[in-house]
């Protein structure tokens, strides 16, 4: 068994098929199939179930792929350690992030590229629950996300910002506000059509917690997984949307309202698995402020 065989198996698992894996690895499909068959003969068991329409992992494959990922990452770290000993910082850093927190990253990525141009950074955007799982599996080196207290368990965290969210509405929608302060109440907006993000998004989780704390029920009219789509629905006056102010400020043509009480909030933090981070990861962490 060698690292190339592990790489091929992981590629097939990630791509969901031999043809897609071959494209990813820039080889012919027969080479991928032959490598997998050779490894299966060596292991004495199939790693994949093959049908006309799909390729899936067998129980043995389910056990093999996470271990193969760890072996491939260990080999990569070994190469990075040698480069560091030679005074050259290279390597790859995979960063998980959510929509809406790019402002916490772009300055750090620019600084890292200027300082260590041979370090490659891969960004993986996903829902919080998926990023949390990727951190546990080791497929993400660090993440800039909003986690609640339970989601932080087992991770090293550093707080970057805490934000109280606001309500965003079309200027055509004349909302009743609370006095001169121009604030709204959760109970007062509960009957309005709501533009929500999908469950698993940190913004959605924060809004759900706030409505529960206020003892208010509301109905979702639209459910989207994209911030721009949410803003377009609000702009068309089809609903109102709760979002952090750093995101709301990107849409200056929309009207924002603060909450008088029970404002949804999130804590954006940089998180990583425990232990000493690799040199390339540590270099990026120094720039994330």
């Amino acid at each position: 068994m060698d690292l190339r065989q592990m790489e091929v198996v992981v590629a097939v698992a990630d791509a969901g098929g031999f043809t897609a894996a071959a494209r990813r690895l820039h080889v012919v499909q027969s080479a991928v199939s032959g490598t997998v068959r050779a490894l299966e003969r060596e292991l004495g068991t199939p790693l994949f179930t093959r049908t006309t329409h799909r390729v899936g992992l067998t129980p043995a494959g389910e056990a093999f792929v996470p271990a193969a990922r760890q072996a491939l990452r260990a080999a990569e770290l070994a190469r990075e350690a040698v480069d560091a000993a030679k005074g050259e910082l290279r390597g790859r850093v995979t960063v998980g992030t959510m929509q809406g927190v790019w402002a916490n990253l772009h300055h750090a990525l620019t600084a890292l590229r200027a300082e260590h141009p041979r370090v490659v950074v891969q960004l993986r955007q996903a829902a919080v629950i998926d990023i949390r799982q990727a951190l546990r599996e080791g497929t993400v080196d660090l993440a800039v996300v909003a986690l609640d207290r339970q989601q932080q368990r087992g991770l090293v965290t550093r707080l970057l910002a805490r934000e109280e969210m606001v309500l965003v509405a079309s200027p055509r929608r004349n909302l009743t506000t609370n006095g001169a302060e121009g604030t709204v109440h959760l109970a007062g907006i509960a009957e309005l059509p709501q533009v929500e993000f999908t469950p698993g998004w940190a913004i959605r989780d924060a809004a759900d917690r706030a409505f529960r704390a206020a003892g208010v029920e509301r109905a979702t009219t639209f459910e989207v997984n994209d911030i721009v789509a949410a803003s377009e629905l609000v702009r068309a006056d089809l609903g109102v949307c709760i979002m952090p102010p750093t995101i709301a400020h990107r849409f200056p043509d929309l009207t924002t309202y603060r909450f008088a009480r029970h404002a949804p909030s999130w804590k954006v933090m940089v998180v990583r698995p425990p232990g000493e981070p690799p040199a390339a990861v540590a270099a990026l962490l120094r720039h994330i402020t």
Side-chain angles (χ1 to χ4, degrees):
M1 185 188 308
D2 57 37
L3 292 175
R4 178 59 177 175
Q5 290 174 313
M6 295 182 188
E7 182 183 14
V8 170
V9 170
V10 169
V12 174
D14 289 344
F18 291 87
T19 302
R23 286 196 296 266
R24 179 177 297 187
L25 297 170
H26 305 291
V27 298
V28 298
Q29 180 181 339
S30 59
V32 173
S33 300
T35 299
V36 172
R37 283 197 301 269
L39 181 57
E40 288 176 328
R41 285 195 299 268
E42 180 180 343
L43 295 173
T45 186
L47 299 174
F48 295 98
T49 58
R50 300 160 173 86
T51 65
T52 304
H53 301 291
R54 65 182 298 274
V55 173
L57 288 168
T58 65
E62 293 280 1
F64 181 87
V65 168
R69 290 190 199 278
Q70 293 178 4
L72 291 169
R73 185 57 176 151
E76 189 172 4
L77 292 176
R79 287 191 292 268
E80 292 175 13
V82 172
D83 290 336
K86 295 188 297 183
E88 302 175 1
L89 187 58
R90 303 189 185 192
R92 171 181 56 84
V93 182
T94 302
V95 180
T97 186
M98 318 174 306
Q99 286 199 40
V101 297
W102 171 244
N104 294 283
L105 276 176
H106 67 89
H107 293 302
L109 296 177
T110 300
L112 178 70
R113 184 170 182 82
E115 184 180 16
H116 302 293
R118 294 183 180 273
V119 173
V120 176
V121 178
Q122 295 179 331
L123 289 180
R124 180 179 300 177
Q125 185 172 276
V128 168
I129 188 171
D130 296 326
I131 294 175
R132 178 73 171 80
Q133 183 64 26
L135 286 165
R136 294 181 62 184
E137 294 175 349
T139 56
V140 163
D141 296 304
L142 64 91
V144 176
V145 289
L147 300 179
D148 60 32
R149 184 170 299 178
Q150 184 176 2
Q151 291 169 330
Q152 296 174 34
R153 292 177 180 173
L155 296 172
V156 178
T157 66
R158 174 161 54 89
L159 181 66
L160 297 178
R162 183 186 184 278
E163 292 184 295
E164 287 194 349
M165 298 187 186
V166 297
L167 184 75
V168 178
S170 166
R172 289 178 284 167
R173 186 177 291 273
N174 187 18
L175 296 184
T176 302
T177 59
N178 181 40
E181 296 181 353
T183 57
V184 294
H185 291 272
L186 291 174
I189 68 166
E191 298 301 321
L192 298 176
Q194 305 281 320
V195 179
E196 300 273 9
F197 298 102
T198 53
W201 275 51
I203 299 174
R204 172 65 177 271
D205 293 344
D208 288 345
R209 289 194 299 269
F211 276 103
R212 283 197 301 268
V216 175
E217 294 186 3
R218 93 283 195 194
T220 299
T221 305
F222 298 98
E223 192 172 88
V224 299
N225 62 355
D226 179 78
I227 290 169
V228 174
S231 70
E232 290 174 349
L233 289 168
V234 173
R235 188 173 291 111
D237 199 22
L238 293 173
V240 296
C241 183
I242 293 173
M243 59 178 67
T246 48
I247 297 177
H249 290 165
R250 301 179 191 180
F251 310 109
D253 59 314
L254 303 179
T255 304
T256 60
Y257 301 87
R258 294 182 299 107
F259 288 97
R261 293 182 58 200
H262 300 293
S265 65
W266 71 358
K267 293 180 180 179
V268 178
M269 57 194 70
V270 56
V271 301
R272 63 176 178 84
E276 188 69 22
V281 175
L284 178 57
L285 285 169
R286 286 194 295 270
H287 291 295
I288 299 177
T289 59

